[in-house]
Amino acid sequence: MKTQKGNLLAVCFVFLLFILWQIGAMKVNAAYIIPTPIEVLEKTWELREILFGVHLPATMLVTLLGILISLILGLALAIVMDANSIVEKALYPVIIASQTIPTPAIAPLFVLWFGYGIWSKVLVTVLITFFPITITVFDGLKSSKTEMEELLYTYGAGKREIFMKLKIPTAIPAFFSALKMAIPLSIIGAAIGEWLGAKSGLGYFSRRMMTQLDGAGVFAPIILLSLVAMAIVGLVTLLEKAVVRWHKEI
């Protein structure tokens, strides 16, 4: 009942935002600056073949590769830092420093180094995405209670058994939280990479529409990316509930 009420409130809030957007855009009356939601929907339908058939798959491929690499890199770093305090002290400042690099400044360098192919965009996505995965999962692994570890040690458990039976279950909520943060960031990273240098993708398409002063064309891929991000996060949330339920049952 509470979930249904929350969903209804969310839909009403989004609907209110669209109404305010419609009213504001009508008052400005300059579609090349801020188009109305109706104009954006019309443009999306008009360009549906190229948006859904060409540019959305290109962006999703970059996003998928970026998330996979970030998951592998982030989980590896989190596990290594949790296992070795010396490695933690050495890597933690470097990981923090990596997030101070202005992405729009370094993305063109990736294009120069790797060309206009997919990997320059993937690297931008990884740079943005691996940080929340690494830090959140690391904090999740560290959150296991010391007294529980000591108790398992007294029962003869080794580091591997403690990691499998205590640390992983403790870090599962943190992992899913990190994944839900990483998904929108990966889409943002893919769009930024495409905006700065690409031959396809929703970021590239939005930039091309901006050069044509087509406000609705600029907003159409942005709205599409937002909807895709919300849908994927919703699927991850359902997966999280299923995993937590399965873990409780066993």
Side-chain angles (χ1 to χ4, degrees):
M1 187 67 179
K2 289 183 178 179
T3 303
Q4 293 178 350
K5 186 177 180 180
N7 292 336
L8 180 61
L9 288 174
V11 171
C12 292
F13 182 68
V14 172
F15 185 67
L16 176 61
L17 288 179
F18 272 96
I19 291 176
L20 294 175
W21 178 7
Q22 179 76 23
I23 294 172
M26 291 174 65
K27 285 185 175 295
V28 174
N29 195 25
Y32 65 93
I33 297 177
I34 176 169
T36 65
I38 294 175
E39 290 172 334
V40 174
L41 290 175
E42 290 175 348
K43 179 63 69 170
T44 303
W45 178 254
E46 178 187 336
L47 300 172
R48 63 189 182 279
E49 292 184 3
I50 191 170
L51 285 175
F52 290 92
V54 178
H55 297 295
L56 180 60
T59 301
M60 288 299 99
L61 179 58
V62 173
T63 301
L64 177 61
L65 289 173
I67 288 179
L68 286 176
I69 295 173
S70 296
L71 279 174
I72 295 171
L73 179 62
L75 291 175
L77 288 173
I79 291 171
V80 170
M81 288 194 300
D82 177 69
N84 193 310
S85 60
I86 296 176
V87 175
E88 175 192 348
K89 291 177 181 178
L91 290 182
Y92 203 93
V94 177
I95 294 171
I96 298 295
S98 71
Q99 299 307 295
T100 65
I101 302 173
T103 305
I106 199 170
L109 293 177
F110 288 157
V111 175
L112 288 175
W113 296 340
F114 301 98
Y116 286 94
I118 189 173
W119 292 109
S120 58
K121 272 70 74 180
V122 170
L123 283 175
V124 175
T125 304
V126 171
L127 181 63
I128 295 176
T129 309
F130 90 97
F131 175 78
I133 295 174
T134 303
I135 299 302
T136 308
V137 173
F138 173 69
D139 289 342
L141 292 171
K142 283 292 185 184
S143 65
S144 59
K145 295 182 179 179
T146 306
E147 56 268 24
M148 289 296 297
E149 294 184 37
E150 293 175 349
L151 179 62
L152 288 175
Y153 271 125
T154 59
Y155 284 119
K159 290 185 177 181
R160 184 176 180 275
E161 287 77 14
I162 291 174
F163 179 78
M164 298 296 295
K165 296 182 180 298
L166 178 62
K167 287 186 174 290
I168 287 183
T170 303
I172 284 177
F175 168 76
F176 279 104
S177 296
L179 188 57
K180 284 185 282 188
M181 285 190 291
I183 287 169
L185 289 175
S186 65
I187 292 177
I188 292 171
I192 290 175
E194 292 167 351
W195 183 281
L196 296 174
K199 297 178 181 178
S200 61
L202 292 174
Y204 159 79
F205 183 81
S206 180
R207 183 171 67 88
R208 197 178 76 183
M209 291 295 101
M210 179 173 285
T211 61
Q212 300 175 13
L213 297 180
D214 187 343
V218 172
F219 274 78
I222 294 173
I223 298 298
L224 185 56
L225 285 174
S226 299
L227 293 175
V228 169
M230 287 189 288
I232 297 176
V233 170
L235 291 175
V236 172
T237 302
L238 293 177
L239 178 61
E240 179 184 12
K241 292 179 179 179
V243 170
V244 171
R245 191 183 307 114
W246 170 77
H247 184 262
K248 288 181 178 178
E249 289 176 356
I250 62 174

